[in-house]
Amino acid sequence: MLNSTLSYLVLGAYLHVGNLKYMCFMITAMLYLVIFSVNTSLIVVICMNRSLHEPMYIFLCSLFVNELYGSTGLFPFLLVQILSDIHTVSASFCFLQIFCLHTYVCIEICNLAVMSYDRYLAICCPLQYNTRMTFKKAVIFIIVIWLYCVLMFLIPLSLNIRLTRCGNIINSLFCRNYLVVKLACSDTKVNHIYGLFGTVLAILVPLLPILFSYVKILKVCFSGSKQTRQKAVSTCTPHLASLLNFSFACCFEILQSRFDMSSVPSVLRIILSLYFLIIPPLLNPVMFGLQMSNILNTFKHVLCFKRTACRRDKM
């Protein structure tokens, strides 16, 4: 049974900024609009163009879908809270948001792990690539990743829901699993044990194929030709940048949840707490879209076709 005090939760990290909240609302709305537009555009381009129905682009499509999923789990909620004078959220919606954001993180890191393995095959085993990484295998990889992350987080979420709470105030802009667990006045030992176990499964396990892939790629780069090194740099740069960017964001989020960050300025703490849900969804489509020439050329072709069609209509 849930304690009656958990019918709603109070988010205590929002600052009173007066009329500046309207400017904050506009900036946040613009960020969400850009993230939604750019990721959706690239998803449509990849899905509609048959020449892009290759494993590498299928993994990118899954990544962009996940960026939309994570952003939608935060931004609409954030926009409502910015304009509100009382920052409360219902318990049921809070648990839904926790589920969305945690599965988003798991899917992101797992997707990047599979992409690193795909780059390893393309660079280190180019002759066997088409047989070892087919379109069908790529789709299976994506389905397994999404199911794995969704099913894995159902356990800690159910363990969290069963707890009895003695408070309802969390120092955050949005709902976080660990902060809600800390409100409990019942035994949380099982939650903490599975929390550590789940972190290992969600973050450390995907790091193994990433490390394996890049060790192999580095060996090939040092022993291979100049052309091989150029190919490795051109295809791995956006992936490495995305991986390092997301890793930094996750590290700060874990540190902020587990340790006292009161010495860090409030504004900086707010910005960094939103980093993993703003910067990766904003930068990933730009980095991959600009780096992958096939996506860029297809996007330009679509734009040129639309402009030509518009001119014909006007004439």
Side-chain angles (χ1 to χ4, degrees):
M1 288 288 290
L2 293 175
N3 195 295
S4 59
T5 59
L6 198 64
S7 60
Y8 68 93
L9 290 167
V10 179
L11 304 169
Y14 285 89
L15 302 176
H16 296 287
V17 293
N19 289 331
L20 283 176
K21 67 182 181 181
Y22 299 107
M23 185 180 73
C24 294
F25 178 86
M26 291 300 296
I27 293 171
T28 306
M30 286 299 295
L31 279 172
Y32 182 52
L33 183 62
V34 171
I35 289 170
F36 187 87
S37 301
V38 174
N39 283 281
T40 303
S41 298
L42 289 173
I43 292 167
V44 171
V45 166
I46 292 172
C47 291
M48 297 298 289
N49 196 302
R50 288 185 176 274
S51 65
L52 298 179
H53 290 183
E54 298 176 7
M56 178 173 61
Y57 301 110
I58 298 302
F59 293 137
L60 282 177
C61 188
S62 173
L63 188 71
F64 299 148
V65 169
N66 190 48
E67 309 296 10
L68 287 178
Y69 170 64
S71 300
T72 304
L74 173 74
F75 277 95
F77 169 81
L78 200 62
L79 290 170
V80 172
Q81 291 296 327
I82 288 172
L83 291 181
S84 178
D85 294 324
I86 302 173
H87 306 292
T88 60
V89 57
S90 67
S92 56
F93 186 86
C94 187
F95 288 124
L96 176 62
Q97 187 177 58
I98 288 171
F99 177 79
C100 290
L101 299 186
H102 280 73
T103 50
Y104 156 75
V105 172
C106 179
I107 292 166
E108 188 87 356
I109 193 71
C110 288
N111 212 124
L112 290 171
V114 173
M115 288 171 68
S116 68
Y117 177 68
D118 176 73
R119 292 302 82 212
Y120 154 71
L121 291 179
I123 295 167
C124 302
C125 312
L127 298 179
Q128 294 93 22
Y129 178 78
N130 289 330
T131 54
R132 294 177 66 176
M133 184 59 76
T134 62
F135 176 84
K136 185 178 179 180
K137 286 182 180 178
V139 173
I140 292 172
F141 268 124
I142 291 168
I143 293 172
V144 169
I145 285 170
W146 282 75
L147 285 176
Y148 167 75
C149 292
V150 167
L151 294 175
M152 189 185 70
F153 193 70
L154 285 176
I155 298 173
L157 186 67
S158 61
L159 290 174
N160 193 348
I161 292 173
R162 71 176 178 82
L163 294 174
T164 302
R165 269 83 184 181
C166 297
N168 65 344
I169 301 174
I170 58 174
N171 187 28
S172 177
L173 296 175
F174 51 90
C175 294
R176 298 179 189 171
N177 190 59
Y178 181 71
L179 295 182
V180 176
V181 170
K182 285 175 68 175
L183 297 175
C185 47
S186 55
D187 185 25
T188 60
K189 188 180 294 183
V190 176
N191 296 73
H192 291 303
I193 292 172
Y194 189 84
L196 292 173
F197 180 67
T199 301
V200 171
L201 288 177
I203 297 177
L204 295 184
V205 170
L207 284 178
L208 295 177
I210 292 172
L211 292 173
F212 168 81
S213 299
Y214 277 102
V215 167
K216 293 290 186 180
I217 289 170
L218 283 173
K219 284 184 179 179
V220 170
C221 288
F222 285 123
S223 62
S225 63
K226 183 180 178 181
Q227 185 179 1
T228 303
R229 286 194 294 271
Q230 288 176 342
K231 180 184 178 182
V233 170
S234 63
T235 58
C236 293
T237 298
H239 181 267
L240 270 174
S242 177
L243 182 62
L244 292 172
N245 180 43
F246 192 72
S247 298
F248 165 76
C250 287
C251 284
F252 182 82
E253 186 61 22
I254 292 170
L255 289 173
Q256 184 170 246
S257 296
R258 300 280 172 170
F259 300 100
D260 181 21
M261 304 291 286
S262 57
S263 58
V264 180
S266 298
V267 176
L268 180 61
R269 204 160 63 238
I270 288 171
I271 292 171
L272 289 175
S273 69
L274 296 173
Y275 187 97
F276 80 110
L277 285 161
I278 294 179
I279 304 302
L282 200 59
L283 288 186
N284 282 348
V286 175
M287 286 192 299
F288 286 108
L290 292 176
Q291 189 69 20
M292 303 298 180
S293 56
N294 286 350
I295 292 179
L296 191 60
N297 293 334
T298 303
F299 202 71
K300 287 179 178 178
H301 176 74
V302 171
L303 289 176
C304 291
F305 179 79
K306 286 183 177 179
R307 287 176 183 173
T308 304
C310 288
R311 286 173 186 171
R312 287 175 180 174
D313 291 340
K314 290 180 180 178
M315 291 175 64

